[in-house]
Amino acid sequence: MIAGVRALLAAAVAAAVSLPFAAFVVAQEFDFDAPPKPVLTGIDLGISVYRPELGNCQLCHGWSGLGGNAFEDNNGKQWDPGPSLVDSKMTAEEMIEIISCGKLGHSIMPQYLEDAWKPERPCWGKTAAEVPDTERAGLWGAPLYVDEIEAVVLWIQTAYQGKQFSLEHCLLYFGTPDAAGCNYLR
Ligand code: HEC
C-alpha cells in the first residue's frame, strides 16, 4: 500500500518536473510548411499594439479611445485607468515619450520601452537614478519596440485624437466586417 502511494508520488513529482521541460521542447518545434506570418506595419501594426495581445492599451484607454473605467486594486486603492485619447492635445513626439517612459509621477501609465530611463535613453532628460522608483510606473508587461510605439501613435492619431470614432476604424480594430462591437456605429 505504502509502496503504491510512493510510486504515485514519484510519478507526480516526475510529471511536475518534466512539464516545464516539455513546454520548452514544444516551443522549440518549428513548422517549416506553415505560411509565413504577415509582417505588420503602419496602422495594422498600431492596432495590434493597442489590442489586448500586445500593449493592451485598450484596457485603460478603451478600444474606442474614450478612456477606461476607474478600478480598485487588491489593496483597495482606486485608480483612474486612463484618459480619453480622443481629447489628447499631445503631439506625436510627446505621445512617443509618454508611451516609451510611462507617466512621471504617481500614475499607472506604464513604461513600454525596455531601455527607457537608462543613460543612453533618458526620459524628459532624466535617468532612473535621478527619479525615485515610486515616481515611475515601470515596465508592466512585455516591452514594445520603437517601431511598435510609433505605429500605435499613428493609430491613435488616425482613429482617436480629435476624431469621431468611425465604423471604418472600428471594423479595422476588430478585424472583421461583422464585429458586433461596431453595431452602434452602423
Ligand atoms: C494600466 C493602465 C494603462 C495602460 C495599460 C496604458 N495606459 Fe496610457 N495612460 C494611463 C493613464 C492613467 C494615463 C494618464 C497619465 C497622467 O496624466 O497622469 C495615460 C496617459 C496616456 C497618454 C497621454 C494622454 C494625454 O494627452 O495626456 C497616452 C498617449 C497614452 N497613455 C497612450 C497609451 C498607449 C499607446 C498604451 C498602450 C501601448 C497605453 N497608454 C497603455 C493608463 C494606461
Side-chain angles (χ1 to χ4, degrees):
M1 177 65 186
I2 290 182
V5 172
R6 285 224 180 101
L8 263 179
L9 268 176
V13 169
V17 169
S18 66
L19 243 179
F21 182 67
F24 175 74
V25 171
V26 170
Q28 292 295 302
E29 272 176 20
F30 189 84
D31 181 359
F32 288 95
D33 298 324
K37 277 198 180 153
V39 177
L40 299 179
T41 54
I43 294 278
D44 296 334
L45 178 60
I47 292 173
S48 77
V49 171
Y50 200 88
R51 286 173 52 94
E53 303 89 272
L54 213 48
N56 205 5
C57 319
Q58 56 91 38
L59 176 72
C60 294
H61 294 285
W63 55 263
S64 58
L66 288 168
N69 299 310
F71 67 91
E72 199 179 281
D73 69 16
N74 293 339
N75 301 319
K77 185 169 164 31
Q78 293 284 335
W79 290 100
D80 170 13
S84 158
L85 297 173
V86 173
D87 298 333
S88 177
K89 302 283 179 287
M90 286 191 182
T91 63
E93 286 68 30
E94 289 168 336
M95 286 195 188
I96 288 170
E97 191 75 351
I98 194 172
I99 298 164
S100 302
C101 302
K103 167 83 181 188
L104 188 60
H106 300 270
S107 168
I108 49 169
M109 171 60 200
Q111 164 187 344
Y112 278 96
L113 187 69
E114 192 161 25
D115 286 339
W117 298 100
K118 292 184 181 166
E120 63 273 22
R121 174 52 174 97
C123 291
W124 298 284
K126 291 201 162 77
T127 65
E130 298 169 83
V131 177
D133 283 355
T134 49
E135 294 281 300
R136 296 182 290 116
L139 277 169
W140 201 65
L144 297 172
Y145 293 108
V146 171
D147 66 330
E148 291 173 329
I149 293 174
E150 288 169 356
V152 79
V153 169
L154 178 67
W155 167 245
I156 291 170
Q157 297 204 314
T158 305
Y160 305 138
Q161 191 178 25
K163 304 261 177 1
Q164 183 84 40
F165 193 51
S166 71
L167 177 62
E168 178 205 354
H169 287 133
C170 187
L171 297 179
L172 264 182
Y173 179 80
F174 285 105
T176 156
D178 42 41
C182 303
N183 283 351
Y184 77 105
L185 294 165
R186 286 180 213 272

